[in-house]
């Protein structure tokens, strides 16, 4: 089961746009400190990747057909137009401490100055977590595309983010999803959000 999800800025470990924790430990009095600790660790990892040059070199050398399916799945059919965008990702482990009773696995993706972070239990499948984040980022950007800046939209309409999470991450459980299930869930999300409007 997923421990929590955060959407935050890559520029500062103080700027949190959205968070949800699925456990009582995640929602205790140390919640703010826990959030900042996770964001700080991801910011360090992101800066390491940016300054080491390995990530940007490998991303630039990829052929368009090798690109992450997030960027080929875009509904505007400009699959190769997204290759040059600002993008990093990673997986890290947080040791047990005063903030976490047990070790945690953190899977994150940074797209265009926004970091999407999934905090999982140590035995959760990191590939399923990464797949969820890829689809979640795509679904958010597809849904909030008309509104402009995704960060402003997520902050202004967290209820719509919760609806999307309710389908993609029901009760904090990672789903084994293929393209057909993703399309089905996308249709259900669109239907529910259309009823809200």
């Amino acid at each position: 089961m997923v421990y929590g999800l955060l959407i935050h800025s890559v520029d500062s470990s103080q700027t949190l746009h959205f968070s949800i924790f699925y456990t009582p430990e995640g929602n205790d009095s140390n919640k703010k400190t826990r959030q900042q600790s996770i964001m700080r660790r991801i910011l360090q990892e992101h800066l390491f990747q940016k300054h080491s040059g390995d990530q940007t070199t490998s991303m630039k050398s990829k052929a368009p057909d090798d690109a992450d399916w997030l960027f080929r799945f875009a509904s505007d059919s400009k699959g190769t137009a997204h290759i040059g965008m600002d993008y990093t990702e990673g997986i890290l482990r947080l040791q047990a401490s005063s903030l976490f009773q047990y070790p945690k696995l953190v899977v994150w993706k940074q797209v265009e100055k926004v970091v999407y972070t999934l905090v999982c239990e140590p035995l959760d499948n990191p590939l399923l977590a990464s797949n969820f984040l890829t689809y979640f980022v795509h679904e958010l950007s597809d849904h909030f595309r008309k509104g402009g800046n995704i960060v402003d939209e997520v902050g202004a309409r967290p209820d719509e983010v919760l609806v999307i999470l309710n389908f993609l991450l029901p009760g904090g459980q990672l789903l084994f999803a293929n393209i057909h299930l993703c399309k089905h869930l996308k249709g259900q999300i669109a239907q529910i959000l259309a009823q809200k409007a």
Side-chain angles (χ1 to χ4, degrees):
M1 183 168 153
V2 170
Y3 183 79
L5 175 101
L6 290 85
I7 301 173
H8 53 96
S9 171
V10 73
D11 296 325
S12 168
S13 63
Q14 303 295 319
T15 310
L16 179 68
H17 304 298
F18 178 87
S19 77
I20 182 169
F21 287 94
Y22 293 97
T23 63
E25 180 191 37
N27 291 305
D28 65 8
S29 60
N30 292 328
K31 181 177 182 177
K32 185 83 169 168
T33 307
R34 188 174 293 110
Q35 290 168 341
Q36 288 178 343
S37 174
I38 294 168
M39 291 187 299
R40 192 175 313 112
R41 182 75 189 275
I42 290 171
L43 180 61
Q44 290 171 347
E45 184 73 18
H46 167 74
L47 290 174
F48 174 77
Q49 286 185 18
K50 282 295 190 186
H51 294 304
S52 71
D54 294 338
Q55 179 75 13
T56 55
T57 305
S58 67
M59 287 301 289
K60 287 178 185 173
S61 66
K62 278 187 176 181
D65 53 320
D66 289 338
D68 191 84
W69 68 271
L70 162 71
F71 306 117
R72 289 186 284 142
F73 194 63
S75 58
D76 62 357
S77 33
K78 298 177 187 170
T80 58
H82 297 290
I83 300 301
M85 68 188 326
D86 182 25
Y87 174 77
T88 54
E89 66 181 334
I91 299 175
L92 53 99
R93 184 179 170 95
L94 300 174
Q95 296 299 324
S97 66
S98 61
L99 296 176
F100 302 102
Q101 184 178 2
Y102 300 106
K104 303 293 177 213
L105 184 70
V106 179
V107 181
W108 61 274
K109 290 185 185 249
Q110 176 267 318
V111 180
E112 296 297 328
K113 303 290 182 190
V114 180
V115 180
Y116 304 87
T117 303
L118 195 64
V119 183
C120 305
E121 297 301 331
L123 296 178
D124 283 338
N125 186 332
L127 292 176
L128 282 181
S130 181
N131 188 42
F132 160 78
L133 279 179
T134 300
Y135 189 62
F136 180 65
V137 169
H138 171 72
E139 188 62 34
L140 280 183
S141 57
D142 191 43
H143 178 68
F144 293 124
R145 176 178 3 149
K146 297 175 185 102
N149 186 356
I150 192 167
V151 171
D152 296 336
E153 294 297 320
V154 165
R157 300 187 290 181
D159 53 332
E160 295 177 19
V161 177
L162 289 172
V163 168
I164 292 169
L165 280 174
N166 187 48
F167 285 97
L168 301 181
L169 194 68
Q173 294 292 328
L174 290 169
L175 299 176
F176 183 79
N178 60 17
I179 193 70
H180 300 293
L181 179 61
C182 291
K183 287 180 180 180
H184 174 72
L185 292 175
K186 185 178 182 75
Q188 287 186 323
I189 291 167
Q191 182 181 7
I192 295 296
L193 291 176
Q195 289 175 358
K196 179 188 174 282

